[in-house]
Every structure is written in structure tokens, then in C-alpha cells.
Amino acid sequence: PVRRFHVFCGPFEPGMHHWFDPTNIHGFDILGLTRFDTTGIEYGREDGRFVIRGRYGVTRHALIVPAAGYMPQVAEGVEARPASMPGDPVRIEMVPGLTLRGRVIVQGTGEGVEGVRVIHLLAPRGWGTYRVSQAQCTTGTDADGGFVLRDLTDIPGYFRLEKPGFAEAVYSDVAPSSEEQVFGLSPGAKVEGTVTGADGDPISAAVVAVAVARESFTASTDLEGRYRINNLPAGDATVTLQGTTGRQGGWTRSIKLAAGAHLLPYHHPAE
């Protein structure tokens, strides 16, 4: 028997997708589901048994069961019954979890990057009709850029790497492996400037958008007309200033982003 585990219980609805986030090795937080028991129930019994009471008005349930050292399991269509009615207990077989070891380096130099936020997301696949559409596991890198994620399933997932000063990186089809996997981060680019009117006064609340690498990043100017967009990937980009309050149009510029700052001020012409 597994002696320490959590049980999350919710109404069973075939085809419904549910989100959960393993914030620590002992349990999962259910994201965006008011109908699920968001804290779960923790058990630590020698015989591995559990009892959930007070499930009124719903006869069929789904259970998500995570435990340290095991892949999370889903039991669907579990029938509730009165305490006085005999019946066989629900049997949930846990499968040992898999481990993913990785290292994050600076592209081009191979130097390890400390303090990277590593987010592992399952692809939208899952178990049976009761799918887990997004299982998220988060950790950070050590001084050498290394990290370890445990209790994973064998479903390939996506990796997102985030650290200030670097362009966000996404890797797909990442699966647990006995060998260390290496992921690269590139120093980020930055676009900044000041937007002013024909009279030289700053223009606030103007929207600046940067399109690069099939993604779009936006920022609004502050009261001094300043804007800044950090952590952009390198590559050919289009920078657009959208129409400002009380003025027509804007401008569009094409630039090549590289690591470091790119100054793009804009002076609105007289109308």
C-alpha cells in the first residue's frame, strides 16, 4: 500500500478537462475549479485506505490521486454510496513516477544559468475520457543551471524557461529521461523609448507592440511618455505604435533585435 497521498474529489463529467499544479511533492492544487476540493485530503495510513464523506447530491465522482514518488492517477466514474451500504473499496494502482534531469545554459557560451524558472506543462493529452489537459510542475535552476523534476508521467510535455534579462524559451515534446537534458537561453533584447507630441509634451497610455518570432509583446507609455519591453527574443521584428488618445494613426518600424537595448523614440508630427 501507498501510505502517504492526497485525494482530490470532484463530480464526474465525461470529456471535462481539469487543471492541476503540483506545488510540492505531497500534493496538487486544482486550478480554476470551484467544484473540486481545491485543497485535497491528505492521508497517511499504513493500509493505504481513504474515506471521503459528505458528497451529497452527486453520485458519480472523479478522483485525482498524487503521491510522492508516483505518477498522479485519475479514477473516473467512482460511485458514492450510503455508509450503511456494503461494497468493495475503490482500488487505485499507483505507478512509480519518472524523473527528468536538466541543465539550462547560455546559448553560445555554454555557461550554466542560475535562478531560471522552469515550468513543465503536459501536452493536452491524458487518461481516458477524464483528461488532465494541463499538468504543471515548476522548479528553479541551481548555481550550475541544473534542475530536477520528479514524479512525472511518461507523457511528453512542453518546457518554458523564464529569467529576467533573457528571452523566454519554449521547448516541446520533452519527456523524462535517465540522461541530463540541456536547454538553452539567449540573452534578451529590450526596446524602449519616449513618445511625445508635436508640442514636445509626453503622450501617456499609447500602446507599443513588438512582433517577433511569431509572438507579440506590448507595453503602454507612462505619464512621462516612456515605454520599455524587456526579455525579447532576437530576430527580425516589427514595432508598432498604435493610435494615441486624441491623435490619429501611429507608426510602424522594422528592426533586427539582438541582445541589449534598442532605443526607439517617437515624436508625433503636427496635425
Side-chain angles (χ1 to χ4, degrees):
V2 176
R3 295 177 174 82
R4 189 173 183 83
F5 54 93
H6 275 73
V7 177
F8 296 95
C9 181
F12 171 64
E13 297 180 30
M16 176 176 286
H17 297 181
H18 295 287
W19 299 62
F20 59 92
D21 172 11
T23 55
N24 58 67
I25 63 172
H26 297 302
F28 285 57
D29 287 337
I30 306 297
L31 303 181
L33 284 179
T34 56
R35 290 175 295 175
F36 242 81
D37 292 337
T38 56
T39 57
I41 303 173
E42 184 175 5
Y43 293 91
R45 295 179 50 167
E46 290 296 315
D47 58 5
R49 291 177 177 267
F50 65 92
V51 177
I52 300 176
R53 296 184 172 89
R55 311 304 298 181
Y56 301 108
V58 179
T59 58
R60 303 184 71 199
H61 297 79
L63 307 178
I64 298 177
V65 184
Y70 296 89
M71 299 182 191
Q73 297 297 311
V74 174
E76 57 185 8
V78 178
E79 301 241 356
R81 63 176 184 272
S84 58
M85 181 182 297
D88 295 328
V90 178
R91 183 179 179 86
I92 300 174
E93 295 189 5
M94 304 299 290
V95 179
L98 303 178
T99 298
L100 191 155
R101 300 181 186 276
R103 186 167 178 262
V104 180
I105 63 172
V106 179
Q107 293 278 25
T109 69
E111 180 183 0
V113 186
E114 181 180 7
V116 179
R117 186 169 183 244
V118 181
I119 304 171
H120 178 264
L121 298 165
L122 281 187
R125 297 169 49 195
W127 303 286
T129 57
Y130 200 88
R131 301 196 315 169
V132 177
S133 60
Q134 203 77 294
Q136 174 177 304
C137 188
T138 305
T139 188
T141 58
D142 60 23
D144 297 319
F147 65 91
V148 179
L149 293 172
R150 296 182 172 87
D151 305 344
L152 301 179
T153 72
D154 56 356
I155 302 175
Y158 294 85
F159 256 37
R160 191 165 74 239
L161 307 177
E162 300 175 349
K163 181 178 172 65
F166 291 84
E168 180 181 298
V170 177
Y171 290 84
S172 60
D173 294 326
V174 180
S177 171
S178 58
E179 299 181 357
E180 183 182 76
Q181 302 183 55
V182 179
F183 307 89
L185 271 184
S186 298
K190 175 172 62 176
V191 173
E192 58 185 338
T194 302
V195 179
T196 57
D199 53 6
D201 291 338
I203 298 176
S204 62
V207 178
V208 179
V210 178
V212 58
R214 292 182 294 182
E215 293 188 75
S216 182
F217 306 83
T218 61
S220 297
T221 56
D222 61 18
L223 294 177
E224 300 298 323
R226 296 171 301 195
Y227 71 91
R228 177 183 298 166
I229 305 177
N230 296 312
N231 306 331
L232 297 170
D236 295 325
T238 301
V239 183
T240 303
L241 171 68
Q242 300 177 7
T244 56
T245 303
R247 296 172 172 84
Q248 298 297 321
W251 52 253
T252 298
R253 295 186 185 177
S254 297
I255 63 172
K256 191 172 186 65
L257 294 178
H262 298 261
L263 296 176
L264 286 179
Y266 177 72
H267 182 69
H268 204 289
E271 298 179 357

